[in-house]
Every structure is written in structure tokens, then in C-alpha cells.
Short mmCIF file of all heavy atoms in Angstrom, two decimals:
data_model
loop_
_atom_site.label_atom_id
_atom_site.label_comp_id
_atom_site.label_asym_id
_atom_site.label_seq_id
_atom_site.Cartn_x
_atom_site.Cartn_y
_atom_site.Cartn_z
N MET A 1 161.16 78.25 95.44
CA MET A 1 161.75 78.62 94.13
C MET A 1 161.91 77.36 93.28
O MET A 1 162.37 76.33 93.75
CB MET A 1 163.14 79.24 94.34
CG MET A 1 163.08 80.68 94.80
SD MET A 1 162.48 81.74 93.53
CE MET A 1 161.72 83.01 94.54
N PHE A 2 161.53 77.52 92.04
CA PHE A 2 161.75 76.42 91.11
C PHE A 2 163.11 76.57 90.46
O PHE A 2 163.48 77.65 90.03
CB PHE A 2 160.68 76.40 90.02
CG PHE A 2 159.33 76.04 90.56
CD1 PHE A 2 158.34 77.00 90.69
CD2 PHE A 2 159.06 74.73 90.93
CE1 PHE A 2 157.10 76.67 91.18
CE2 PHE A 2 157.81 74.39 91.43
CZ PHE A 2 156.83 75.37 91.56
N VAL A 3 163.81 75.49 90.43
CA VAL A 3 165.11 75.51 89.76
C VAL A 3 165.03 74.57 88.56
O VAL A 3 164.65 73.41 88.71
CB VAL A 3 166.24 75.05 90.71
CG1 VAL A 3 167.57 75.05 89.97
CG2 VAL A 3 166.28 75.94 91.93
N GLN A 4 165.32 75.11 87.41
CA GLN A 4 165.24 74.30 86.20
C GLN A 4 166.47 73.42 86.06
O GLN A 4 167.58 73.91 85.92
CB GLN A 4 165.13 75.22 84.98
CG GLN A 4 164.90 74.49 83.67
CD GLN A 4 163.42 74.19 83.44
OE1 GLN A 4 162.57 75.03 83.71
NE2 GLN A 4 163.13 73.00 82.97
N HIS A 5 166.24 72.13 86.17
CA HIS A 5 167.34 71.21 85.94
C HIS A 5 167.29 70.75 84.49
O HIS A 5 166.45 71.19 83.73
CB HIS A 5 167.25 70.02 86.89
CG HIS A 5 167.59 70.39 88.30
ND1 HIS A 5 168.86 70.70 88.68
CD2 HIS A 5 166.82 70.54 89.39
CE1 HIS A 5 168.87 71.02 89.97
NE2 HIS A 5 167.64 70.93 90.42
N TYR A 6 168.17 69.84 84.15
CA TYR A 6 168.18 69.35 82.77
C TYR A 6 166.84 68.73 82.43
O TYR A 6 166.29 67.95 83.20
CB TYR A 6 169.28 68.30 82.59
CG TYR A 6 170.66 68.86 82.70
CD1 TYR A 6 171.50 68.44 83.71
CD2 TYR A 6 171.09 69.83 81.80
CE1 TYR A 6 172.78 68.97 83.82
CE2 TYR A 6 172.35 70.36 81.91
CZ TYR A 6 173.20 69.93 82.93
OH TYR A 6 174.44 70.45 83.03
N SER A 7 166.34 69.10 81.30
CA SER A 7 165.07 68.56 80.86
C SER A 7 165.29 67.27 80.08
O SER A 7 166.17 67.19 79.23
CB SER A 7 164.36 69.56 79.95
OG SER A 7 163.29 68.93 79.30
N HIS A 8 164.49 66.27 80.38
CA HIS A 8 164.58 65.02 79.63
C HIS A 8 163.33 64.81 78.79
O HIS A 8 162.96 63.71 78.45
CB HIS A 8 164.80 63.84 80.57
CG HIS A 8 166.17 63.83 81.16
ND1 HIS A 8 167.28 63.51 80.41
CD2 HIS A 8 166.62 64.15 82.38
CE1 HIS A 8 168.36 63.63 81.19
NE2 HIS A 8 167.99 64.01 82.38
N GLU A 9 162.66 65.91 78.50
CA GLU A 9 161.43 65.79 77.72
C GLU A 9 161.71 65.37 76.28
O GLU A 9 160.92 64.68 75.67
CB GLU A 9 160.69 67.13 77.72
CG GLU A 9 159.97 67.38 79.05
CD GLU A 9 159.44 68.79 79.14
OE1 GLU A 9 159.34 69.44 78.10
OE2 GLU A 9 159.16 69.22 80.27
N GLU A 10 162.82 65.83 75.76
CA GLU A 10 163.14 65.47 74.39
C GLU A 10 163.59 64.02 74.33
O GLU A 10 164.17 63.50 75.28
CB GLU A 10 164.26 66.36 73.86
CG GLU A 10 163.79 67.78 73.61
CD GLU A 10 164.94 68.66 73.14
OE1 GLU A 10 165.79 68.14 72.40
OE2 GLU A 10 164.96 69.83 73.53
N ALA A 11 163.33 63.40 73.21
CA ALA A 11 163.79 62.03 73.02
C ALA A 11 165.30 62.00 73.09
O ALA A 11 165.96 62.95 72.68
CB ALA A 11 163.32 61.52 71.66
N ILE A 12 165.81 60.92 73.61
CA ILE A 12 167.26 60.80 73.69
C ILE A 12 167.82 60.59 72.29
O ILE A 12 167.46 59.65 71.61
CB ILE A 12 167.66 59.63 74.61
CG1 ILE A 12 167.19 59.96 76.03
CG2 ILE A 12 169.16 59.40 74.56
CD1 ILE A 12 167.29 58.81 76.99
N MET A 13 168.65 61.49 71.89
CA MET A 13 169.20 61.45 70.54
C MET A 13 170.71 61.35 70.61
O MET A 13 171.34 62.05 71.38
CB MET A 13 168.87 62.75 69.80
CG MET A 13 167.42 62.85 69.41
SD MET A 13 167.01 61.70 68.08
CE MET A 13 165.28 62.07 67.95
N PRO A 14 171.26 60.51 69.80
CA PRO A 14 172.71 60.51 69.71
C PRO A 14 173.16 61.80 69.04
O PRO A 14 172.41 62.41 68.29
CB PRO A 14 173.01 59.31 68.81
CG PRO A 14 171.77 59.11 68.04
CD PRO A 14 170.63 59.59 68.87
N LYS A 15 174.33 62.19 69.36
CA LYS A 15 174.85 63.41 68.77
C LYS A 15 176.16 63.09 68.07
O LYS A 15 177.14 62.78 68.71
CB LYS A 15 175.07 64.44 69.88
CG LYS A 15 174.76 65.86 69.42
CD LYS A 15 175.22 66.86 70.43
CE LYS A 15 174.22 67.03 71.57
NZ LYS A 15 174.67 67.96 72.59
N ILE A 16 176.09 63.14 66.79
CA ILE A 16 177.27 62.87 65.99
C ILE A 16 177.88 64.20 65.58
O ILE A 16 177.18 65.07 65.06
CB ILE A 16 176.91 62.09 64.71
CG1 ILE A 16 176.35 60.73 65.06
CG2 ILE A 16 178.09 61.98 63.78
CD1 ILE A 16 177.38 59.67 65.26
N THR A 17 179.14 64.34 65.83
CA THR A 17 179.81 65.56 65.42
C THR A 17 181.01 65.20 64.55
O THR A 17 181.76 64.29 64.88
CB THR A 17 180.35 66.34 66.65
OG1 THR A 17 179.44 66.20 67.71
CG2 THR A 17 180.50 67.81 66.33
N ILE A 18 181.16 65.88 63.46
CA ILE A 18 182.33 65.68 62.61
C ILE A 18 183.15 66.97 62.60
O ILE A 18 182.64 68.03 62.27
CB ILE A 18 181.92 65.28 61.19
CG1 ILE A 18 181.13 63.97 61.23
CG2 ILE A 18 183.16 65.15 60.30
CD1 ILE A 18 180.63 63.49 59.90
N ASP A 19 184.36 66.81 63.00
CA ASP A 19 185.27 67.96 63.03
C ASP A 19 185.83 68.16 61.62
O ASP A 19 186.66 67.38 61.15
CB ASP A 19 186.41 67.68 64.02
CG ASP A 19 187.32 68.88 64.19
OD1 ASP A 19 187.35 69.75 63.29
OD2 ASP A 19 188.00 68.94 65.23
N GLU A 20 185.34 69.16 60.96
CA GLU A 20 185.74 69.33 59.56
C GLU A 20 187.19 69.75 59.39
O GLU A 20 187.77 69.60 58.33
CB GLU A 20 184.80 70.29 58.82
CG GLU A 20 184.84 71.72 59.29
CD GLU A 20 184.03 72.61 58.33
OE1 GLU A 20 182.89 72.22 57.98
OE2 GLU A 20 184.54 73.66 57.94
N GLU A 21 187.78 70.21 60.47
CA GLU A 21 189.21 70.53 60.42
C GLU A 21 190.04 69.25 60.33
O GLU A 21 191.10 69.22 59.72
CB GLU A 21 189.63 71.29 61.69
CG GLU A 21 188.91 72.61 61.92
CD GLU A 21 189.44 73.69 60.97
OE1 GLU A 21 190.66 73.74 60.78
OE2 GLU A 21 188.61 74.44 60.43
N LYS A 22 189.53 68.20 60.98
CA LYS A 22 190.27 66.93 60.98
C LYS A 22 189.92 66.06 59.78
O LYS A 22 190.72 65.24 59.34
CB LYS A 22 189.95 66.16 62.26
CG LYS A 22 190.52 66.77 63.53
CD LYS A 22 190.19 65.87 64.71
CE LYS A 22 190.69 66.43 66.03
NZ LYS A 22 190.23 65.60 67.16
N CYS A 23 188.71 66.20 59.28
CA CYS A 23 188.24 65.33 58.19
C CYS A 23 189.07 65.56 56.93
O CYS A 23 189.27 66.68 56.50
CB CYS A 23 186.76 65.62 57.91
SG CYS A 23 186.10 64.70 56.51
N ILE A 24 189.53 64.42 56.36
CA ILE A 24 190.31 64.51 55.13
C ILE A 24 189.48 64.05 53.92
O ILE A 24 190.01 63.90 52.82
CB ILE A 24 191.60 63.67 55.22
CG1 ILE A 24 191.27 62.21 55.55
CG2 ILE A 24 192.56 64.26 56.26
CD1 ILE A 24 192.44 61.25 55.38
N GLY A 25 188.21 63.81 54.17
CA GLY A 25 187.31 63.50 53.05
C GLY A 25 187.50 62.14 52.43
O GLY A 25 187.21 61.94 51.26
N CYS A 26 187.93 61.16 53.23
CA CYS A 26 188.17 59.82 52.68
C CYS A 26 186.88 59.07 52.37
O CYS A 26 186.87 58.14 51.59
CB CYS A 26 189.03 59.01 53.65
SG CYS A 26 188.18 58.58 55.18
N GLY A 27 185.80 59.46 53.02
CA GLY A 27 184.50 58.84 52.74
C GLY A 27 184.26 57.52 53.43
O GLY A 27 183.22 56.89 53.25
N GLU A 28 185.22 57.07 54.23
CA GLU A 28 185.10 55.76 54.89
C GLU A 28 183.88 55.71 55.83
O GLU A 28 183.19 54.71 55.91
CB GLU A 28 186.36 55.47 55.71
CG GLU A 28 187.62 55.35 54.89
CD GLU A 28 187.73 53.98 54.22
OE1 GLU A 28 187.08 53.05 54.68
OE2 GLU A 28 188.47 53.89 53.23
N CYS A 29 183.66 56.77 56.52
CA CYS A 29 182.54 56.78 57.48
C CYS A 29 181.20 56.69 56.76
O CYS A 29 180.29 56.02 57.22
CB CYS A 29 182.59 58.05 58.34
SG CYS A 29 182.58 59.58 57.38
N VAL A 30 181.11 57.35 55.62
CA VAL A 30 179.87 57.31 54.83
C VAL A 30 179.62 55.88 54.36
O VAL A 30 178.50 55.38 54.42
CB VAL A 30 179.97 58.27 53.62
CG1 VAL A 30 178.73 58.16 52.74
CG2 VAL A 30 180.16 59.70 54.10
N ASP A 31 180.69 55.21 53.92
CA ASP A 31 180.56 53.84 53.44
C ASP A 31 180.19 52.87 54.55
O ASP A 31 179.44 51.92 54.34
CB ASP A 31 181.88 53.37 52.81
CG ASP A 31 182.14 54.07 51.48
OD1 ASP A 31 181.19 54.64 50.92
OD2 ASP A 31 183.30 54.05 51.03
N VAL A 32 180.72 53.10 55.73
CA VAL A 32 180.54 52.13 56.81
C VAL A 32 179.21 52.31 57.55
O VAL A 32 178.71 51.37 58.16
CB VAL A 32 181.73 52.21 57.79
CG1 VAL A 32 181.55 53.33 58.81
CG2 VAL A 32 181.98 50.88 58.46
N CYS A 33 178.64 53.46 57.47
CA CYS A 33 177.40 53.73 58.23
C CYS A 33 176.23 52.92 57.65
O CYS A 33 175.91 53.06 56.48
CB CYS A 33 177.06 55.21 58.20
SG CYS A 33 175.50 55.56 59.05
N PRO A 34 175.61 52.10 58.49
CA PRO A 34 174.51 51.26 58.00
C PRO A 34 173.19 52.02 57.88
O PRO A 34 172.21 51.49 57.37
CB PRO A 34 174.40 50.18 59.07
CG PRO A 34 174.88 50.84 60.32
CD PRO A 34 175.92 51.85 59.91
N ALA A 35 173.17 53.24 58.34
CA ALA A 35 171.89 53.95 58.40
C ALA A 35 171.86 55.23 57.56
O ALA A 35 170.95 56.04 57.68
CB ALA A 35 171.56 54.28 59.86
N ASP A 36 172.84 55.38 56.70
CA ASP A 36 172.89 56.58 55.84
C ASP A 36 172.79 57.89 56.61
O ASP A 36 172.08 58.81 56.21
CB ASP A 36 171.79 56.52 54.78
CG ASP A 36 172.04 55.42 53.75
OD1 ASP A 36 173.21 55.04 53.58
OD2 ASP A 36 171.07 54.95 53.14
N VAL A 37 173.46 57.92 57.73
CA VAL A 37 173.43 59.13 58.55
C VAL A 37 174.38 60.19 57.98
O VAL A 37 174.15 61.38 58.11
CB VAL A 37 173.83 58.78 60.00
CG1 VAL A 37 173.95 60.03 60.86
CG2 VAL A 37 172.82 57.80 60.60
N LEU A 38 175.42 59.69 57.33
CA LEU A 38 176.48 60.59 56.89
C LEU A 38 176.52 60.70 55.37
O LEU A 38 176.10 59.79 54.66
CB LEU A 38 177.83 60.08 57.40
CG LEU A 38 177.87 59.73 58.89
CD1 LEU A 38 179.16 59.02 59.23
CD2 LEU A 38 177.71 60.98 59.74
N GLU A 39 177.03 61.81 54.91
CA GLU A 39 177.08 62.07 53.48
C GLU A 39 178.30 62.92 53.18
O GLU A 39 178.74 63.70 54.03
CB GLU A 39 175.80 62.83 53.10
CG GLU A 39 175.47 62.88 51.63
CD GLU A 39 174.14 63.58 51.42
OE1 GLU A 39 173.08 62.93 51.61
OE2 GLU A 39 174.15 64.78 51.08
N MET A 40 178.84 62.77 51.99
CA MET A 40 179.94 63.64 51.60
C MET A 40 179.38 64.91 50.96
O MET A 40 178.51 64.85 50.10
CB MET A 40 180.86 62.94 50.59
CG MET A 40 181.57 61.70 51.11
SD MET A 40 182.51 61.98 52.62
CE MET A 40 183.80 63.08 52.01
N GLN A 41 179.87 66.02 51.42
CA GLN A 41 179.49 67.30 50.80
C GLN A 41 180.75 68.15 50.72
O GLN A 41 181.40 68.39 51.73
CB GLN A 41 178.43 68.03 51.66
CG GLN A 41 177.03 67.46 51.48
CD GLN A 41 175.99 68.16 52.34
OE1 GLN A 41 176.23 69.28 52.82
NE2 GLN A 41 174.86 67.52 52.56
N ASP A 42 181.07 68.57 49.52
CA ASP A 42 182.28 69.38 49.31
C ASP A 42 183.51 68.72 49.92
O ASP A 42 184.30 69.37 50.61
CB ASP A 42 182.10 70.79 49.90
CG ASP A 42 180.99 71.55 49.20
OD1 ASP A 42 180.80 71.33 47.99
OD2 ASP A 42 180.31 72.34 49.86
N ASP A 43 183.65 67.41 49.70
CA ASP A 43 184.82 66.66 50.17
C ASP A 43 184.97 66.60 51.67
O ASP A 43 186.06 66.37 52.19
CB ASP A 43 186.11 67.22 49.55
CG ASP A 43 186.16 66.97 48.04
OD1 ASP A 43 185.61 65.95 47.61
OD2 ASP A 43 186.75 67.80 47.34
N LYS A 44 183.87 66.79 52.37
CA LYS A 44 183.88 66.60 53.83
C LYS A 44 182.66 65.76 54.19
O LYS A 44 181.61 65.86 53.55
CB LYS A 44 183.76 67.95 54.57
CG LYS A 44 184.88 68.93 54.30
CD LYS A 44 186.11 68.58 55.10
CE LYS A 44 187.23 69.59 54.81
NZ LYS A 44 188.48 69.22 55.46
N ALA A 45 182.82 64.95 55.22
CA ALA A 45 181.68 64.19 55.70
C ALA A 45 180.81 65.11 56.55
O ALA A 45 181.31 65.88 57.36
CB ALA A 45 182.15 63.00 56.52
N VAL A 46 179.51 65.01 56.33
CA VAL A 46 178.58 65.80 57.14
C VAL A 46 177.46 64.90 57.64
O VAL A 46 177.17 63.86 57.06
CB VAL A 46 177.98 66.99 56.34
CG1 VAL A 46 179.03 68.04 56.03
CG2 VAL A 46 177.28 66.52 55.09
N VAL A 47 176.85 65.31 58.71
CA VAL A 47 175.74 64.56 59.30
C VAL A 47 174.45 65.05 58.65
O VAL A 47 174.13 66.24 58.71
CB VAL A 47 175.68 64.80 60.83
CG1 VAL A 47 174.52 64.01 61.44
CG2 VAL A 47 176.99 64.40 61.47
N VAL A 48 173.74 64.14 58.00
CA VAL A 48 172.51 64.55 57.32
C VAL A 48 171.26 63.88 57.88
O VAL A 48 170.15 64.31 57.62
CB VAL A 48 172.58 64.27 55.79
CG1 VAL A 48 173.57 65.22 55.13
CG2 VAL A 48 172.91 62.83 55.50
N ASN A 49 171.44 62.83 58.65
CA ASN A 49 170.30 62.04 59.12
C ASN A 49 170.50 61.58 60.55
O ASN A 49 170.39 60.40 60.86
CB ASN A 49 170.18 60.78 58.24
CG ASN A 49 169.02 60.87 57.29
OD1 ASN A 49 168.03 61.53 57.58
ND2 ASN A 49 169.15 60.20 56.16
N GLU A 50 170.79 62.51 61.40
CA GLU A 50 171.17 62.14 62.77
C GLU A 50 170.11 61.27 63.46
O GLU A 50 170.44 60.39 64.23
CB GLU A 50 171.42 63.40 63.59
CG GLU A 50 172.00 63.10 64.95
CD GLU A 50 172.52 64.35 65.63
OE1 GLU A 50 171.71 65.25 65.88
OE2 GLU A 50 173.72 64.42 65.90
N ASP A 51 168.85 61.54 63.14
CA ASP A 51 167.76 60.79 63.78
C ASP A 51 167.84 59.29 63.51
O ASP A 51 167.30 58.49 64.26
CB ASP A 51 166.40 61.29 63.27
CG ASP A 51 166.13 62.70 63.73
OD1 ASP A 51 166.97 63.25 64.47
OD2 ASP A 51 165.08 63.25 63.35
N GLU A 52 168.49 58.92 62.41
CA GLU A 52 168.56 57.52 62.03
C GLU A 52 169.73 56.79 62.68
O GLU A 52 169.87 55.58 62.53
CB GLU A 52 168.70 57.40 60.51
CG GLU A 52 167.57 58.03 59.72
CD GLU A 52 166.25 57.31 59.96
OE1 GLU A 52 166.28 56.08 60.05
OE2 GLU A 52 165.22 58.00 60.09
N CYS A 53 170.57 57.51 63.37
CA CYS A 53 171.79 56.91 63.91
C CYS A 53 171.48 55.80 64.90
O CYS A 53 170.64 55.93 65.79
CB CYS A 53 172.62 57.99 64.61
SG CYS A 53 174.12 57.33 65.36
N LEU A 54 172.18 54.68 64.73
CA LEU A 54 171.98 53.49 65.55
C LEU A 54 172.97 53.40 66.70
O LEU A 54 173.00 52.42 67.43
CB LEU A 54 172.12 52.24 64.67
CG LEU A 54 171.28 52.21 63.40
CD1 LEU A 54 171.73 51.07 62.49
CD2 LEU A 54 169.80 52.05 63.75
N GLU A 55 173.83 54.41 66.78
CA GLU A 55 174.87 54.45 67.82
C GLU A 55 175.80 53.24 67.75
O GLU A 55 176.27 52.74 68.77
CB GLU A 55 174.23 54.52 69.22
CG GLU A 55 173.36 55.75 69.40
CD GLU A 55 172.52 55.66 70.65
OE1 GLU A 55 172.99 55.05 71.62
OE2 GLU A 55 171.40 56.20 70.66
N CYS A 56 176.04 52.77 66.56
CA CYS A 56 176.87 51.58 66.42
C CYS A 56 178.36 51.90 66.57
O CYS A 56 179.18 51.01 66.75
CB CYS A 56 176.62 50.91 65.07
SG CYS A 56 177.17 51.90 63.66
N GLU A 57 178.69 53.17 66.42
CA GLU A 57 180.08 53.65 66.54
C GLU A 57 181.00 53.19 65.42
O GLU A 57 182.22 53.36 65.52
CB GLU A 57 180.68 53.27 67.91
CG GLU A 57 179.97 53.96 69.05
CD GLU A 57 180.69 53.85 70.37
OE1 GLU A 57 181.91 53.61 70.36
OE2 GLU A 57 180.04 54.01 71.41
N SER A 58 180.45 52.57 64.40
CA SER A 58 181.29 52.14 63.28
C SER A 58 182.04 53.30 62.67
O SER A 58 183.21 53.19 62.33
CB SER A 58 180.43 51.49 62.20
OG SER A 58 179.79 50.35 62.71
N CYS A 59 181.37 54.41 62.52
CA CYS A 59 182.01 55.56 61.90
C CYS A 59 183.15 56.09 62.77
O CYS A 59 184.22 56.42 62.27
CB CYS A 59 180.98 56.67 61.64
SG CYS A 59 180.10 57.21 63.12
N VAL A 60 182.90 56.10 64.07
CA VAL A 60 183.92 56.60 65.00
C VAL A 60 185.16 55.73 64.92
O VAL A 60 186.29 56.22 64.86
CB VAL A 60 183.36 56.62 66.44
CG1 VAL A 60 184.43 57.08 67.42
CG2 VAL A 60 182.13 57.50 66.52
N GLU A 61 184.93 54.40 64.90
CA GLU A 61 186.06 53.46 64.85
C GLU A 61 186.77 53.50 63.51
O GLU A 61 187.96 53.26 63.43
CB GLU A 61 185.55 52.04 65.14
CG GLU A 61 185.22 51.84 66.60
CD GLU A 61 184.34 50.61 66.84
OE1 GLU A 61 184.29 49.74 65.94
OE2 GLU A 61 183.74 50.52 67.91
N THR A 62 186.01 53.78 62.47
CA THR A 62 186.59 53.76 61.12
C THR A 62 187.44 54.98 60.84
O THR A 62 188.43 54.90 60.12
CB THR A 62 185.45 53.69 60.08
OG1 THR A 62 184.74 52.48 60.28
CG2 THR A 62 185.98 53.75 58.66
N CYS A 63 187.06 56.09 61.38
CA CYS A 63 187.75 57.34 61.05
C CYS A 63 189.16 57.39 61.65
O CYS A 63 189.32 57.47 62.86
CB CYS A 63 186.95 58.55 61.53
SG CYS A 63 187.78 60.09 61.08
N GLU A 64 190.12 57.32 60.77
CA GLU A 64 191.52 57.33 61.24
C GLU A 64 191.95 58.71 61.70
O GLU A 64 193.01 58.87 62.31
CB GLU A 64 192.44 56.84 60.11
CG GLU A 64 192.24 55.37 59.81
CD GLU A 64 193.14 54.87 58.69
OE1 GLU A 64 193.91 55.67 58.16
OE2 GLU A 64 193.04 53.68 58.37
N GLN A 65 191.17 59.69 61.39
CA GLN A 65 191.52 61.06 61.77
C GLN A 65 190.92 61.47 63.12
O GLN A 65 191.10 62.59 63.57
CB GLN A 65 191.00 62.05 60.71
CG GLN A 65 191.48 61.77 59.30
CD GLN A 65 192.98 61.81 59.20
OE1 GLN A 65 193.62 62.73 59.69
NE2 GLN A 65 193.56 60.80 58.57
N ASP A 66 190.18 60.54 63.73
CA ASP A 66 189.46 60.88 64.96
C ASP A 66 188.61 62.12 64.80
O ASP A 66 188.53 62.96 65.70
CB ASP A 66 190.45 61.09 66.12
CG ASP A 66 190.98 59.77 66.65
OD1 ASP A 66 190.27 58.75 66.53
OD2 ASP A 66 192.10 59.76 67.17
N ALA A 67 187.99 62.21 63.65
CA ALA A 67 187.19 63.41 63.36
C ALA A 67 185.76 63.30 63.86
O ALA A 67 185.05 64.30 63.95
CB ALA A 67 187.19 63.68 61.85
N ILE A 68 185.36 62.05 64.19
CA ILE A 68 183.95 61.84 64.53
C ILE A 68 183.79 61.57 66.03
O ILE A 68 184.52 60.78 66.61
CB ILE A 68 183.36 60.65 63.75
CG1 ILE A 68 183.63 60.83 62.25
CG2 ILE A 68 181.85 60.53 64.01
CD1 ILE A 68 183.14 59.66 61.40
N THR A 69 182.83 62.24 66.60
CA THR A 69 182.53 62.04 68.01
C THR A 69 181.06 61.64 68.13
O THR A 69 180.21 62.24 67.50
CB THR A 69 182.73 63.34 68.80
OG1 THR A 69 183.95 63.95 68.39
CG2 THR A 69 182.78 63.09 70.29
N LEU A 70 180.81 60.63 68.93
CA LEU A 70 179.44 60.22 69.21
C LEU A 70 179.16 60.44 70.69
O LEU A 70 179.81 59.87 71.54
CB LEU A 70 179.25 58.74 68.86
CG LEU A 70 177.93 58.10 69.27
CD1 LEU A 70 176.74 58.73 68.57
CD2 LEU A 70 177.95 56.61 69.00
N GLU A 71 178.20 61.28 70.95
CA GLU A 71 177.81 61.54 72.34
C GLU A 71 176.41 60.99 72.54
O GLU A 71 175.51 61.28 71.78
CB GLU A 71 177.72 63.05 72.60
CG GLU A 71 179.03 63.74 72.83
CD GLU A 71 178.80 65.23 72.95
OE1 GLU A 71 177.84 65.63 73.63
OE2 GLU A 71 179.56 65.97 72.33
N VAL A 72 176.25 60.21 73.56
CA VAL A 72 174.92 59.71 73.88
C VAL A 72 174.55 60.24 75.26
O VAL A 72 175.28 60.03 76.23
CB VAL A 72 174.89 58.17 73.87
CG1 VAL A 72 173.48 57.68 74.16
CG2 VAL A 72 175.37 57.64 72.53
N ASP A 73 173.45 60.93 75.30
CA ASP A 73 173.04 61.54 76.59
C ASP A 73 172.59 60.49 77.57
O ASP A 73 172.00 59.52 77.18
CB ASP A 73 171.88 62.51 76.35
CG ASP A 73 172.35 63.70 75.53
OD1 ASP A 73 173.53 64.07 75.67
OD2 ASP A 73 171.53 64.22 74.77
S1 LIG B 101 186.20 58.73 57.99
FE1 LIG B 101 186.87 60.61 59.04
S2 LIG B 101 188.30 61.57 57.62
FE2 LIG B 101 187.13 60.06 56.44
S3 LIG B 101 185.41 61.23 55.57
FE3 LIG B 101 184.72 60.34 57.53
S4 LIG B 101 185.09 61.97 59.05
FE4 LIG B 101 186.28 62.47 57.23
S1 LIG B 102 177.27 55.55 64.92
FE1 LIG B 102 176.75 54.03 63.33
S2 LIG B 102 174.69 54.62 62.63
FE2 LIG B 102 175.51 56.37 63.75
S3 LIG B 102 176.45 57.66 62.17
FE3 LIG B 102 178.07 56.31 62.96
S4 LIG B 102 178.08 54.53 61.61
FE4 LIG B 102 176.15 55.63 61.27
#
């Protein structure tokens, strides 16, 4: 029997998540991101360019609301 384990065929991508419940729309993360991954939309930060993320964690450290999570597989 074949058992499907986790596939690693896809490129390893960082996963940035912004909790819009926590985000107060200060824009700090957008300003600090060196790769233009984040953008303000309707007074909330959103991820628009995840592929460009450098995993620098600047946004995570900058966000005083702990709204941003960076997961690296
Ligand atoms: S730094 Fe945090 S609170 Fe400010 S816009 Fe970004 S996610 Fe929202
Ligand atoms: S980890 Fe760095 S490159 Fe990625 S979204 Fe945050 S600030 Fe931008």
C-alpha cells in the first residue's frame, strides 16, 4: 500500500498571515518590508506578494499587535 506523506514537490514558500482582527492598520509592516510583500487595503495590511518574501521577519517584529505570523516549512 502506498501511503501519501507530505509532498515536498512545491517550492518552499514562506507563509505570511495577517490576522485582520488584530491589525489596527498602522501601516508599519508595509513600510518596513523590503520586498513590497505587504500592502494596505481598506485600512488593513494584506499580503499581496508572498512569493517575494525574504523571511526577514521585520514585519513580524514591527507589528505591535502581533498580527503577523511567518511560517517557514
Ligand atoms: S504592523 Fe501590524 S497592526 Fe500595523 S498594519 Fe501591519 S499588521 Fe496591521
Ligand atoms: S518577512 Fe520580511 S520580506 Fe517577508 S513580508 Fe515580512 S518584512 Fe516583508
Side-chain angles (χ1 to χ4, degrees):
M1 282 291 151
F2 291 107
V3 179
Q4 186 85 41
H5 288 290
Y6 292 117
S7 167
H8 288 288
E9 284 170 17
E10 289 177 36
I12 295 170
M13 288 289 178
K15 216 191 278 178
I16 297 274
T17 324
I18 300 178
D19 185 338
E20 66 171 47
E21 300 285 318
K22 290 183 181 174
C23 176
I24 57 168
C26 68
E28 297 281 339
C29 56
V30 176
D31 289 343
V32 83
C33 177
D36 291 336
V37 174
L38 311 170
E39 196 176 280
M40 297 306 293
Q41 282 179 18
D42 297 327
D43 292 329
K44 299 281 180 186
V46 292
V47 180
V48 290
N49 254 331
E50 188 168 62
D51 293 357
E52 301 295 321
C53 178
L54 308 168
E55 300 168 32
C56 67
E57 295 192 22
S58 298
C59 57
V60 178
E61 286 163 18
T62 298
C63 181
E64 292 180 0
Q65 304 300 313
D66 284 333
I68 308 177
T69 316
L70 171 64
E71 281 175 43
V72 182
D73 293 328

